[in-house]
Amino acid sequence: MRRSRFVHQLPVGKDRTLIVHAISHMRLPADGDISTLIDYFAQPRRVPEDCDAMAALIAKPHETAADLRDVVERTVMELQSRQILTEQTPEQELADIGAELASKHGRDPAEMLERYRRELKEGAASYWAVGAAYGLDDFGATRRRVDAVLFGDCDIQMEADFLRREAARRGIDLHVSATFPDDIRFAGERKHDVVFIGALRARHLVAEDIDGYNPHAAYIGHTTELLSKLREVTSAPILIDNLPEPTVQPLGLAERGVKGHRTRFRLTNVALAELASAFSDVYVIDVAAALAGVGSERLLDDGQVGFTHFGSPGWMLQRPENEKAAVHGIFPDTAPLVQALGGDPYGRETVIAEKHIDALVTVMGIGRKKCVILDLDGTLWPGVLAETGSPFAWTPEISGAFSYIGLYFGLHEALLCLKKRGIVLACVSKNDEATVRELWKYPDHYPAQRLLTPDDFVTWRVNWDDKVGNIRSIAEELGFGLDTFLFIDDKAVERDRVRQRLPEVEVWGEDPFSLRRRLLNDPRLQIPVITAEAAARSTLVKAQIARQQLRTETLGEAQYIESLRIQCRVERLDPASTKLERVGELFSRTTQFNTTGRKFSSGELAALAGNPDTRLFAIDVSDRLGDHGLVGAAVITEGEIVGFAISCRALGMGVEHTFLRHVLDEMKGTPQTLRGRIIPTPRNIPARNIYRDNGFSEREDGLWEFTKPAAG
């Protein structure tokens, strides 16, 4: 492997080099370690044989070459994927790029080259300056890759590197490609998992009076057109920013009525929220709330340069010197502005990048939590229940409900909101269960709608056993992976023990004053759409636990299945089906019985359901203990089952075989052969024999084929 003949390295500051590819126009800011590695490949090197020598070049005093070897190997592979390094000779590389460009069959060489560059594009538009430098932490870590396309102007394009940094902090390898809002075809040219849209240029019209139109009409019209065109070329989730609320008003207190300057933008945001709900998989990012939460005046420049620009005041500290020609080279001392911004010219980008990655995590289900396990004494109520005799001693005569007691009422209320989102609650407490059940009661004057009761928990472990063992027991009972649990306890020793022995479990409880906000805001505790199944998940899980108990009490498996009196309803879904959101959620959440591990957004499912070469099936199941809801889905495209998933709560009842046999019956009118693929994932072992057990034959590794008997 060697450095590409088309790569140039340009020093742009201390420990900072701009890597430029002459053909693709790829621009990569790199730190000293990355530059050193690239320099090493000025001569051909062998990988992995030479990795030890490379590690020695960049090892710090506290590091060893052996520790860096894996990091170096991954970094080299990333540099190769960006065409900075290549296995080809200079002559082969030139011929390969020439052949790829020639295959475009474009008559215009400039257009042909531009198309090639767009396919390889990464980062913001070239109008903006080089962003944060890439280092070994960016390339050498093992993270989940997500590709994003940004549509917008300076507000969101300036954020590209901040998005990458915030995503990396959460274990995500985010690849960003940015373009302008009118460049719709870019979404069709670039592989992507999500689309971000910044504030559109039509925001300037919101502040203008246009006879016969609402102030927000032009903005919503432009947004509608953009979303409609994007949906023609992509089914990926779309995350669109709303507009910041102005920090100043042209007419001050005289701004009255719905056409007041600030109110215009508020109404635009309301209309945008309503518009987004009309599109599948489109979600509004509340930029206005994010900026207001940390102080809009130091994050918006409408107090300095214009009423509708809504950029960052810090950008003025980053402008090139040659732009001062517009002011005769004369400009005030920027020290007061630096002080007002706390020395950080990019505070806005940091805040909004965090908000954007929050939304990405929620929409893609990254690290989603399924269960919150709560301690009781000292967490849900003050003190020890067996000693105080009741959870609280509150009466209206003592205080209002938002005084000291409000801290606990607020925590209960937040947990009830999580339950409505489909997150189940469990409790682990060192206590006497009979005592807790007897004393956990509230007088009639308490706000019952805001408070948890024992019935809100799907399972208990109230005993004197070690909490680590109790958490493991709950995980086994619910069938959830340990990484889907959040544990909250007020005692430091219990938190530390769980962190040490169950590192996969998220642990909170240090700061009781932040718990409510964290529970309500953490993106891993949110879902994009609350389906009927999500809202009823606690009931469904309780029924599942009852089934498990019945299974242990029944003499045999066949007798148990028969006693349930299972009923299955299979239907083929069309693009207008109200079940598409639930099917998308099922593929996103199901890890055990998922044949390929593939996830489908609701927008992608709607497109597939409308494709004549695709069939989309769903199965609903019920039994005498309750309704399981929609527990399975199958996507068949051009004769191949590209997705087949069954919720873990329906496993062990033969539902997966019933469902697959129904799919086979439905496909009788299609060509003789139906294929199914198994792509192993760390957790889908239960799904790997589904095709073998239903008459399929393995034709090649992971690809199974079902041949229907010949007629007659």
Side-chain angles (χ1 to χ4, degrees), residues 346-361:
Y346 288 119
R348 174 200 166 104
E349 284 70 29
T350 302
V351 170
I352 302 305
E354 182 177 350
K355 193 73 174 177
H356 280 145
I357 299 302
D358 278 352
L360 183 147
V361 166

Side-chain angles (χ1 to χ4, degrees), residues 358 421 516-526:
D358 278 352
R421 298 177 186 179
R516 173 182 163 93
R517 187 178 300 277
R518 292 182 72 186
L519 287 167
L520 293 173
N521 290 349
D522 193 299
R524 299 167 298 173
L525 295 170
Q526 300 180 38

Side-chain angles (χ1 to χ4, degrees), residues 486-505:
L486 165 63
F487 173 62
I488 301 176
D489 198 304
D490 68 304
K491 293 183 175 60
V493 66
E494 298 291 359
R495 295 194 301 268
D496 186 64
R497 185 177 288 118
V498 172
R499 286 189 176 115
Q500 291 291 330
R501 296 171 61 185
L502 299 176
E504 306 96 328
V505 175

Side-chain angles (χ1 to χ4, degrees), residues 272-437:
L272 180 62
E274 184 177 7
L275 173 65
S277 66
F279 286 85
S280 175
D281 247 10
V282 174
Y283 309 94
V284 175
I285 309 302
D286 199 342
V287 167
L291 295 173
V294 296
S296 295
E297 285 192 1
R298 67 183 185 88
L299 301 179
L300 291 176
D301 65 2
D302 65 329
Q304 282 93 31
V305 302
F307 288 119
T308 59
H309 184 238
F310 295 141
S312 167
W315 294 352
M316 197 168 289
L317 302 174
Q318 299 293 311
R319 307 306 304 183
E321 284 294 313
N322 59 12
E323 291 187 0
K324 286 186 179 178
V327 291
H328 305 294
I330 304 169
F331 198 70
D333 182 7
T334 57
L337 179 59
V338 173
Q339 184 177 5
L341 299 178
D344 181 9
Y346 288 119
R348 174 200 166 104
E349 284 70 29
T350 302
V351 170
I352 302 305
E354 182 177 350
K355 193 73 174 177
H356 280 145
I357 299 302
D358 278 352
L360 183 147
V361 166
T362 296
V363 168
M364 300 192 68
I366 298 172
R368 182 168 294 159
K369 305 302 175 187
K370 296 182 179 181
C371 179
V372 177
I373 301 178
L374 294 143
D375 169 52
L376 299 179
D377 292 336
T379 299
L380 284 188
W381 48 68
V384 178
L385 187 60
E387 297 175 357
T388 61
S390 63
F392 310 105
W394 175 76
T395 66
E397 292 77 20
I398 295 175
S399 72
F402 302 99
S403 182
Y404 293 113
I405 191 72
L407 182 68
Y408 296 94
F409 284 3
L411 176 60
H412 282 234
E413 187 177 50
L415 290 163
L416 286 170
C417 289
L418 263 57
K419 183 182 171 187
K420 292 177 182 178
R421 298 177 186 179
I423 294 169
V424 299
L425 307 179
C427 68
V428 167
S429 174
K430 289 185 176 178
N431 235 314
D432 177 71
E433 183 171 358
T435 300
V436 171
R437 289 189 180 275

Side-chain angles (χ1 to χ4, degrees), residues 89-106:
T89 66
E91 295 74 24
Q92 290 171 333
E93 188 182 11
L94 178 61
D96 187 61
I97 289 180
E100 185 169 352
L101 290 174
S103 68
K104 308 293 183 183
H105 299 294

Side-chain angles (χ1 to χ4, degrees), residues 670-711:
T670 61
Q672 286 289 101
T673 302
L674 179 66
R675 302 178 305 280
R677 192 175 296 277
I678 298 290
I679 299 177
T681 69
R683 299 189 61 191
N684 74 349
I685 293 174
R688 295 181 189 175
N689 294 328
I690 181 65
Y691 298 127
R692 183 202 67 184
D693 295 343
N694 285 277
F696 285 68
S697 301
E698 191 171 20
R699 298 305 183 192
E700 58 183 71
D701 188 26
L703 183 63
W704 295 76
E705 188 175 283
F706 181 84
T707 303
K708 291 176 284 188

